[in-house]
Amino acid sequence: MALAQATPWRLHATVPRSLANGPGERFVVWTQGCALACPGCFNPDAHPATGGFTRAVHGVADEVLTTPGIEGVTVTGGEPLRQPEALAAFADMVGAAGLGIVVLTGYSRSEIESSPTLAAAVTGVDTVIAGRYDQRLHLGSGLRGSANKEYWARTGRYSTSMFVAVPDAEVLVGPDGTVMVTGMVAVAGRELG
Ligand code: SF4
């Protein structure tokens, strides 16, 4: 196994199947840790760098690859590019299996392209939804969160209209009865108890 695949990845949450985090049915990974401090951020619980839990990248990828019927994976946060090596290794593994990959990040396209480390992290990603969240330009649908953010299509797999058609929110009930609301309305990836 490549060393990068054993990289510890600090995560906030995962769900095996969602319809409100990208086109089609998707596995969703919320990473833990973000220092970008966008006012009005909808997921402050994912900010502390020491919160959440850690898993090896290959363990998460193996779970994705044994989840039937999904079209792809969305990686959000928190800030996925805070852990660029883990993201790159994960994208390599699930992309090689033919799954689509969407990443939501607070970094802008120009910030990513000007950093070799960040650029390498999104090499295997189909669409990056890029830029700081601006609460003055809030959008309740379409996954961007605010109108200044950019759909950066790095492959032809996903069109903008596919993101616009994503449901605004969904309620997921886990096997243990845990209720989670995800999507762009009100909260994202937050357990309600
Ligand atoms: S980049 Fe995302 S997680 Fe980080 S503060 Fe901004 S909106 Fe919140």
Side-chain angles (χ1 to χ4, degrees):
M1 179 186 303
L3 193 59
Q5 295 175 4
T7 300
W9 201 10
R10 185 167 289 276
L11 304 179
H12 181 69
T14 64
V15 297
R17 197 176 303 278
S18 166
L19 287 167
N21 286 277
E25 294 191 41
R26 312 186 71 77
F27 196 103
V28 186
V29 177
W30 284 270
T31 61
Q32 181 73 30
C34 181
L36 297 181
C38 306
C41 171
F42 43 78
N43 210 1
D45 294 347
H47 289 183
T50 55
F53 55 93
T54 57
R55 292 180 64 183
V57 168
H58 66 80
V60 185
D62 288 347
E63 185 180 343
V64 169
L65 298 178
T66 55
T67 300
I70 54 174
E71 193 282 332
V73 184
T74 294
V75 185
T76 182
E79 175 46 65
L81 289 178
R82 189 183 175 96
Q83 302 174 81
E85 294 84 6
L87 177 61
F90 178 74
D92 278 351
M93 291 185 74
V94 300
L99 295 174
I101 307 169
V102 174
V103 169
L104 280 77
T105 174
Y107 288 99
S108 67
R109 177 174 177 172
S110 62
E111 287 174 318
I112 295 168
E113 289 182 320
S114 63
S115 162
T117 302
L118 300 185
V122 301
T123 297
V125 176
D126 293 290
T127 295
V128 180
I129 302 178
R132 305 288 192 278
Y133 171 68
D134 185 336
Q135 62 183 343
R136 297 166 301 179
L137 302 173
H138 177 77
L139 297 171
S141 62
L143 275 197
R144 281 188 298 165
S146 60
N148 60 300
K149 290 177 67 96
E150 174 186 5
Y151 292 116
W152 176 14
R154 298 177 46 79
T155 71
R157 186 164 183 135
Y158 302 119
S159 64
T160 296
S161 62
M162 294 168 79
F163 289 101
V164 172
V166 170
D168 298 343
E170 69 186 340
V171 178
L172 302 173
V173 181
D176 62 352
T178 301
V179 177
M180 176 185 280
V181 180
T182 78
M184 275 298 148
V185 172
V187 291
R190 179 168 298 174
E191 290 187 7
L192 299 182

